Amino acid sequence: MIDRLKASACTSILVGKKASMDGSTLISRNEDRHAAIEGKRLIVQPAVSGRQETYVSPYNKLTVPLPESGYKYISMPNSDQTAGPNEENGFNEKNVGESATESIFANEHVLALDPFIKNGLAEDSMTTLVLPYIDSARDGVRYLGELVKKYGSAEGNGVQFNDKDEVWYMEIVTGHQWVAVRIPDDCYAVTGNQTSIQNIDFNDPDNYMWADGIQDFVNDNNLNPDFEGFNFRRIFGTDTEFDRHYNTPRVWYAQKYFNPSLEQDPESSDMQFIRKPEFKITPEDIQFVLGSHYNETKYDPLGTGCEKDKHIYRSISLARTAQSHVLQLRDSDKNGAAAIEWVSLGVPSFCPYVPFFANVNDMDSSYTDVPEKLDLKSAFWMYESLAMLVESHYKEFIQDDIDYRKELSEWAHRKIDEVDKKAVTMSGDELTDYLTKQNAEIVKHYNDKTKELMASLVTKGTELSKLQFVSGQWH
């Protein structure tokens, strides 16, 4: 399973409701894949009832009888389903969000005692088997924990859940061992492909959850390197040169952004997983970090540093980022349009985050249909093309791209405010139909503006060709 873990390297950011600007809970992640091109769709999965079916994973043949009924939910599956649905993230109709998964690694000592289960629960199946059946973020941890207990885990994964009140992060590190922590309301957390959760308080089940028997597993096998406490990261995680160049610098940069006064070494193994930010966090703050590449530091691969510094650390945003998302859940007791999923296809360094209301019947065809080859009618291909176009003349095009994304973000907030004012007067099918129509209008606006920018950049780019000749220039 190691190859799969390396192929699914992501960065995650979680924010409690008192740490956010408007009281939202926020979970988010870049889905970074092995290949630069891996099509993603955004779809609505309908509610089901009276079903008698068994799920079989195309990836590893995990076999699970499905519940008879399940909630409607939105998700972002792969366009190619041969390796499993890989639905990755979404909201269900109960306004519960899930992002699955952050690939993480455990050390050889714990894996020797509790190895992964070849046909156990893996990333390809996790959203499909969990999101339609949970009623809260805490319930998501419980439900997933029961699946791991019954079927085992095929790989190391970190999973995020949010509802209007709580944000939970769960780490599954071996075949059966896992813990989860509730992110405090006034805090945020960042992780990048490492076992990140630290001290577990087994006397505080309101804020921590864990696999049955995990304390005995650690004690009986002498796995705790510390004289006191239960530091999950130190017991189960890794601390290697690979971590210090591939993983920890991403956490360093994100924490540098949210806590500007904080002085840390990018290669430190002791950075805290959970911190209080120095300011209230917005979706745009998260979007910036997820689209970042050590901007304004010597480590920026698109910057002016020396070649060694520019390539010493793995960036947060990559050319192989299949999609990036921010799941924002506002107060659903006050507004039926509370759940918004911000989606960026292509490379988030260059591509905008499009807001989608989750309580809808369908998605625009530019997001549901992903041809195998380039077609600008597809949002996936359009944004992949935009990213390549901007990076091809980065210095000349980046300001145009920044202006375009800022203008769209301003428009999005005006649109959301407009929708909110009408949505509070609606409920049931009327509300769902209205939000579905609003999503279509949002998509059209973003698609039109993106194609306008691309046309402008192509025109501008023709003047940048090196195949130019001015008569008399040899003098």
Side-chain angles (χ1 to χ4, degrees):
M1 296 299 172
I2 294 299
D3 287 343
R4 181 180 177 85
L5 288 174
K6 289 182 179 178
S8 304
C10 309
T11 306
S12 298
I13 302 173
L14 310 88
V15 181
K17 62 183 181 180
K18 291 182 180 178
S20 71
M21 181 74 85
D22 65 352
S24 298
T25 61
L26 297 153
I27 59 175
S28 62
R29 181 168 57 90
N30 281 358
E31 182 193 346
D32 303 327
R33 310 300 289 181
H34 179 68
I37 296 294
E38 186 166 321
K40 299 296 298 187
R41 306 165 61 214
L42 180 62
I43 63 173
V44 178
Q45 297 281 25
V48 296
S49 61
R51 176 176 57 189
Q52 300 291 329
E53 295 180 18
T54 297
Y55 172 85
V56 180
S57 164
Y59 166 60
N60 67 351
K61 305 307 177 186
L62 167 71
T63 302
V64 179
L66 292 171
E68 290 188 9
S69 60
Y71 299 130
K72 179 177 71 172
Y73 65 104
I74 62 171
S75 70
M76 292 198 71
N78 285 359
S79 56
D80 179 358
Q81 295 282 290
T82 58
N86 283 283
E87 292 194 288
E88 296 297 329
N89 53 273
F91 281 110
N92 70 20
E93 65 180 273
K94 294 296 182 179
N95 286 323
V96 181
E98 178 183 19
S99 181
T101 69
E102 177 81 29
S103 298
I104 59 176
F105 299 85
N107 64 63
E108 62 270 31
H109 301 291
V110 295
L111 286 172
L113 294 162
D114 184 25
F116 292 126
I117 307 302
K118 185 176 181 180
N119 63 341
L121 190 63
E123 177 179 355
D124 70 302
S125 304
M126 203 163 289
T127 300
T128 306
L129 294 179
V130 176
L131 188 56
Y133 313 110
I134 58 176
D135 293 284
S136 67
R138 183 185 298 268
D139 191 37
V141 175
R142 178 200 62 78
Y143 193 93
L144 179 50
E146 289 298 318
L147 289 176
V148 172
K149 181 178 181 180
K150 185 171 184 178
Y151 299 101
S153 179
E155 55 198 17
N157 282 314
V159 189
Q160 308 172 60
F161 296 99
N162 69 326
D163 55 36
K164 71 180 181 64
D165 291 315
E166 297 186 349
V167 176
W168 281 83
Y169 183 64
M170 177 180 186
E171 291 187 328
I172 307 162
V173 288
T174 67
H176 302 88
Q177 302 302 329
W178 61 269
V179 298
V181 58
R182 180 187 174 191
I183 308 302
D185 290 346
D186 60 351
C187 292
Y188 74 95
V190 180
T191 182
N193 301 129
Q194 281 183 292
T195 300
S196 295
I197 296 175
Q198 295 171 293
N199 295 311
I200 303 298
D201 185 349
F202 292 101
N203 294 315
D204 185 8
D206 289 339
N207 294 296
Y208 299 90
M209 299 173 72
W210 54 86
D212 293 341
I214 192 170
Q215 291 172 278
D216 291 338
F217 173 78
V218 170
N219 293 334
D220 292 348
N221 292 293
N222 301 308
L223 295 172
N224 193 340
D226 297 324
F227 292 107
E228 296 181 356
F230 193 100
N231 188 313
F232 186 73
R233 181 196 295 177
R234 284 179 49 77
I235 297 169
F236 286 88
T238 59
D239 185 6
T240 66
E241 183 178 8
F242 177 82
D243 289 321
R244 288 183 281 279
H245 287 266
Y246 195 82
N247 301 326
T248 62
R250 286 180 276 156
V251 177
W252 164 79
Y253 187 80
Q255 293 190 355
K256 176 182 173 67
Y257 180 86
F258 294 123
N259 293 85
S261 66
L262 194 62
E263 295 290 338
Q264 298 184 114
D265 185 332
E267 298 180 25
S268 171
S269 299
D270 298 319
M271 283 183 277
Q272 293 294 310
F273 172 52
I274 297 173
R275 288 195 180 277
K276 291 185 179 181
E278 293 179 18
F279 55 86
K280 293 181 180 180
I281 297 171
T282 66
E284 287 74 26
D285 291 318
I286 297 174
Q287 292 164 18
F288 171 80
V289 174
L290 291 179
S292 67
H293 36 84
Y294 305 117
N295 306 50
E296 299 185 80
T297 76
K298 65 181 180 179
Y299 307 117
D300 186 350
L302 300 175
T304 58
C306 72
E307 287 304 304
K308 179 182 177 182
D309 287 338
K310 287 164 66 173
H311 301 291
I312 195 171
Y313 298 140
R314 186 266 209 212
S315 179
I316 292 177
S317 176
L318 295 173
R320 58 184 173 87
T321 300
Q323 55 97 359
S324 181
H325 55 270
V326 180
L327 274 63
Q328 178 184 16
L329 189 53
R330 303 173 295 165
D331 191 343
S332 54
D333 290 338
K334 295 180 180 178
N335 195 328
I340 300 175
E341 177 158 354
W342 298 82
V343 174
S344 178
L345 297 176
V347 183
S349 301
F350 312 119
C351 300
Y353 284 78
V354 184
F356 289 88
F357 293 99
N359 180 15
V360 295
N361 293 319
D362 199 2
M363 293 293 177
D364 187 85
S365 61
S366 63
Y367 280 81
T368 60
D369 301 340
V370 183
E372 289 187 15
K373 296 184 179 180
L374 189 148
D375 185 338
L376 294 184
K377 292 180 181 178
S378 160
F380 173 81
W381 283 110
M382 179 182 67
Y383 287 119
E384 288 286 356
S385 300
L386 172 63
M388 185 175 180
L389 188 59
V390 174
E391 190 178 352
S392 69
H393 292 291
Y394 180 75
K395 292 181 180 179
E396 294 82 4
F397 288 175
I398 189 58
Q399 191 58 52
D400 290 335
D401 182 72
I402 290 171
D403 292 343
Y404 143 86
R405 284 183 283 138
K406 180 182 178 182
E407 179 184 338
L408 284 176
S409 182
E410 291 175 3
W411 183 89
H413 281 284
R414 287 193 295 271
K415 183 66 172 177
I416 291 169
D417 288 343
E418 172 191 313
V419 171
D420 281 346
K421 291 174 182 176
K422 294 184 179 180
V424 293
T425 67
M426 303 177 186
S427 61
D429 291 342
E430 181 188 18
L431 174 62
T432 301
D433 291 342
Y434 172 69
L435 295 179
T436 302
K437 181 179 179 182
Q438 298 314 301
N439 276 358
E441 292 182 6
I442 290 168
V443 167
K444 184 179 186 306
H445 183 81
Y446 273 73
N447 289 356
D448 289 347
K449 289 296 182 181
T450 301
K451 290 173 183 177
E452 285 179 18
L453 174 66
M454 291 174 68
S456 173
L457 295 182
V458 168
T459 302
K460 186 175 181 179
T462 59
E463 300 294 331
L464 301 173
S465 173
K466 294 180 180 180
L467 292 175
Q468 303 283 356
F469 186 83
V470 179
S471 180
Q473 68 180 353
W474 60 86
H475 292 298

